[in-house]
Amino acid sequence: MLDNEEFMRDASPRELTQNPLRKIWMPCKNGHIAQRRVCMTNCPTLIVTVGLPARGKTYISKKLTRYLNWIGVPTKEFNVGQYRRECVKIYKSFEFFSPDNEEGLKIRRHCAMAALNDVRQYLSVEGGQVAVFDATNTTRERRETIVKFAEQNGFKVFFVESVCEDPDVIAQNIVQVKLGSPDYIHCNTEEAIEDFMKRIKCYESSYQPLDENLDRDLSFIKIMDVGRRYLVNRVDHMQSRIVYYLMNIHITPRSIYLCRHGESDLNIKGRIGGDSGLSARGKEFARSLRKYIQDQKIKDLKVWTSQMKRTIQTAECLGVPYEQWKSLNEIDAGVCEEMMYEEIQEHYPLEFALRDQDKYRYRYPKGESYEDLVQRLEPVIMELERQENILVICHQAVMRCLLAYFLDKTADELPYLKCPLHTVLKLTPLAYGCKVESIYLGVDAVNTHRDRPENVNVQRSTEDALQTVPGHL
């Protein structure tokens, strides 16, 4: 944030200059751009999960952390169970969680405080904006301790409670997630399930759910039976975004198919952007994609494309209905549209170098950055989370952004994810992640992937600048 005292000393309007990388206007003093930290929350937020074991709290925590990081809000998850496993190396049985086990209670309290101390360090010192405190937090006393901690440190608190009484959902969660826990690495399935069910019983006697009257002053969302019903109380802007996200996710098994359009005429020529049609090989890929999709016999498959000619031509060959999204259009290269990398280096060498220095945040003159693209794609992600089986036919930069969300990739990794032409990526969401299968459909295409060159200096030679440009006509 800008220094308020410095601003008050000099109340006259400051000179503005355009940041060459991001193309945004910023205050300038003595020829130097004033540094400021972009913050998407007006004060740090502590998200606190509430609920009995096997209610999906860690699933929610991990998804929420991934989503917030993807949209540019620095977020970190603090799983108290992990602190407990580091403190108590060998788990013996459910008796550790018994309300009568004084030693167990002492260790669990110590682990919770250690996690909260790390939360303080992350939000107050390391520049984090959101921390997710993942634990049962089933008693009002424990939640009051967390609220007091947050007030002392200037954090907002938002509780996320997951309530589920469906025995089938609980059993499925235990089998899918808990049996793979380090706690049960040396147990057979029956022993592990029996022990975990007894662990749940240890919490039930003292569980005090969030109450819309007793807890009316708290900010929270109560998720009932995996999204069948919700109760939302006192939310601010950031919390409302979190609520909207949580109301869109589901646990129904499904697959998401991502692919680029078939090879285009501009792809062959090594030119970026534009709105050209498919090459002969691109049309062949479209036919191969149709056969692949038919062979998969996917139930109720939906198909999305951008509004650009090459994705629509690809979808037309499938012979099924499809929906066009303007949000899925390729990144706008501005003044560099339809240019070859060699031409960009010749006409805009400074821009070419700046993009290599920070590809995620670099914005093309009169165009977009990957950072802009992520913001444009947020509604797409929300709708993807609501859908079941779906095929998205899109573009290289767009596919990288979508893939980074599902695979939890950083902003630095995102612009260099490999998304080759004529290859389908099948994503299958799992409890705490995503399984990826890459299916090459056997149709040759040009390589459009350009790695970051070793030399990103503005004064570099043309040879160094073009070091990683893929071959083309």
Side-chain angles (χ1 to χ4, degrees):
M1 300 293 288
L2 293 173
D3 192 317
N4 287 333
E5 290 183 17
E6 182 184 343
F7 183 78
M8 293 302 292
R9 282 197 300 269
D10 183 10
S12 60
R14 290 173 294 180
E15 291 294 321
L16 298 180
T17 190
Q18 194 177 55
N19 176 301
L21 182 82
R22 302 173 78 172
K23 311 296 186 291
I24 56 177
W25 291 97
M26 302 181 74
C28 175
K29 188 173 182 180
N30 299 326
H32 297 288
I33 296 175
Q35 294 300 312
R36 63 178 177 181
R37 179 174 161 230
V38 176
C39 186
M40 295 179 72
T41 56
N42 53 14
C43 82
T45 296
L46 175 57
I47 297 172
V48 181
T49 63
V50 177
L52 294 170
R55 264 53 177 188
K57 298 182 301 300
T58 299
Y59 168 79
I60 289 169
S61 298
K62 288 184 179 297
K63 287 209 71 152
L64 202 46
T65 299
R66 175 159 57 87
Y67 162 69
L68 291 171
N69 278 315
W70 184 77
I71 63 170
V73 181
T75 304
K76 188 174 180 180
E77 175 201 6
F78 297 83
N79 181 283
V80 177
Q82 193 58 41
Y83 283 77
R84 186 259 305 165
R85 279 184 280 272
E86 289 171 6
C87 182
V88 182
K89 300 297 182 184
I90 300 174
Y91 171 78
K92 294 180 180 177
S93 78
F94 72 93
E95 291 172 354
F96 177 83
F97 296 95
S98 170
D100 300 326
N101 186 337
E102 290 294 332
E103 181 65 19
L105 284 169
K106 184 178 176 181
I107 292 171
R108 286 154 56 201
R109 196 174 294 119
H110 166 78
C111 292
M113 293 313 299
L116 285 175
N117 284 333
D118 286 349
V119 164
R120 181 193 293 117
Q121 173 74 13
Y122 177 67
L123 294 179
S124 300
V125 180
E126 297 174 13
Q129 293 178 23
V130 176
V132 183
F133 186 72
D134 178 19
T136 53
N137 301 309
T138 47
T139 65
R140 195 157 277 113
E141 179 187 4
R142 169 60 60 84
R143 297 195 290 269
E144 286 171 357
T145 299
I146 294 169
V147 169
K148 187 179 292 186
F149 162 84
E151 288 173 348
Q152 290 169 348
N153 290 279
F155 308 151
K156 286 187 176 181
V157 180
F158 182 59
F159 291 98
V160 177
E161 182 175 28
S162 179
V163 179
C164 182
E165 304 300 334
D166 187 330
D168 292 336
V169 173
I170 296 168
Q172 185 181 30
N173 193 12
I174 292 172
V175 171
Q176 286 185 350
V177 179
K178 303 304 179 184
L179 297 189
S181 162
D183 290 346
Y184 297 113
I185 199 163
H186 299 299
C187 295
N188 64 44
T189 300
E190 290 75 19
E191 289 172 343
I193 291 174
E194 182 183 359
D195 182 88
F196 198 85
M197 293 303 291
K198 289 178 179 177
R199 187 195 293 195
I200 294 173
K201 289 288 183 188
C202 290
Y203 282 94
E204 286 179 341
S205 59
S206 60
Y207 180 25
Q208 298 169 302
L210 288 166
D211 185 276
E212 57 184 307
N213 293 316
L214 293 175
D215 299 308
R216 60 183 175 275
D217 294 331
L218 299 179
S219 297
F220 65 82
I221 178 174
K222 197 177 182 90
I223 304 169
M224 287 158 274
D225 290 325
V226 204
R228 208 163 286 164
R229 289 188 300 127
Y230 303 90
L231 175 63
V232 179
N233 192 67
R234 297 175 66 94
V235 295
D236 64 16
H237 170 68
M238 176 52 67
Q239 293 163 0
S240 70
R241 292 181 75 172
I242 291 167
V243 165
Y244 183 55
Y245 177 74
L246 292 176
M247 290 177 73
N248 279 288
I249 63 177
H250 65 83
I251 58 170
T252 306
R254 42 85 176 254
S255 291
I256 298 159
Y257 298 83
L258 301 179
C259 75
R260 293 170 64 187
H261 51 80
E263 178 188 74
S264 73
D265 294 328
L266 288 180
N267 287 150
I268 293 173
K269 297 171 183 175
R271 297 187 177 276
I272 65 173
D275 195 18
S276 64
L278 298 182
S279 68
R281 293 190 301 195
K283 292 173 183 174
E284 185 183 348
F285 164 74
R287 292 189 290 270
S288 296
L289 181 62
R290 174 175 180 156
K291 183 177 186 307
Y292 169 76
I293 292 299
Q294 287 175 340
D295 290 347
Q296 295 299 298
K297 295 181 171 56
I298 306 161
K299 182 185 177 185
D300 299 327
L301 180 71
K302 288 190 176 180
V303 179
W304 292 353
T305 74
S306 72
Q307 290 186 351
M308 307 194 94
K309 184 178 181 181
R310 52 196 184 273
T311 64
I312 296 169
Q313 275 186 306
T314 305
E316 274 291 322
C317 205
L318 301 181
V320 298
Y322 58 89
E323 185 178 340
Q324 295 179 24
W325 284 66
K326 192 173 190 296
S327 300
L328 287 170
N329 283 3
E330 181 59 305
I331 191 170
D332 184 350
V335 299
C336 299
E337 279 285 311
E338 298 194 27
M339 293 178 73
M340 294 186 292
Y341 288 126
E342 293 88 344
E343 293 171 340
I344 300 174
Q345 168 61 22
E346 179 184 352
H347 297 289
Y348 305 106
L350 173 62
E351 297 294 332
F352 202 47
L354 288 173
R355 190 164 196 259
D356 284 340
Q357 288 173 14
D358 190 346
K359 193 175 178 181
Y360 180 77
R361 293 169 188 84
Y362 169 84
R363 179 179 285 141
Y364 282 107
K366 300 183 180 179
E368 291 180 302
S369 65
Y370 272 93
E371 191 172 32
D372 296 328
L373 190 53
V374 163
Q375 299 304 316
R376 167 151 63 89
L377 288 168
E378 187 180 0
V380 176
I381 286 296
M382 287 293 184
E383 192 58 31
L384 272 176
E385 284 290 3
R386 289 170 57 86
Q387 297 295 327
E388 295 184 13
N389 294 321
I390 189 161
L391 165 65
V392 182
I393 303 172
C394 53
H395 307 266
Q396 182 166 249
V398 170
M399 189 165 164
R400 283 170 172 162
C401 292
L402 299 178
L403 199 57
Y405 167 77
F406 286 106
L407 301 188
D408 198 15
K409 298 297 183 181
T410 66
D412 290 335
E413 294 172 307
L414 183 156
Y416 296 101
L417 294 176
K418 291 187 176 178
C419 299
L421 288 164
H422 300 178
T423 299
V424 177
L425 295 185
K426 179 182 178 182
L427 309 181
T428 306
L430 304 174
Y432 295 162
C434 199
K435 177 186 173 186
V436 187
E437 299 170 69
S438 179
I439 303 103
Y440 171 59
L441 296 192
V443 180
D444 287 342
V446 293
N447 174 25
T448 61
H449 183 87
R450 177 176 176 263
D451 283 317
R452 187 174 190 263
E454 294 176 9
N455 186 351
V456 298
N457 195 288
V458 171
Q459 283 81 36
R460 64 188 175 178
S461 67
T462 296
E463 183 181 1
D464 282 350
L466 301 177
Q467 176 192 12
T468 58
V469 172
H472 56 82
L473 289 181

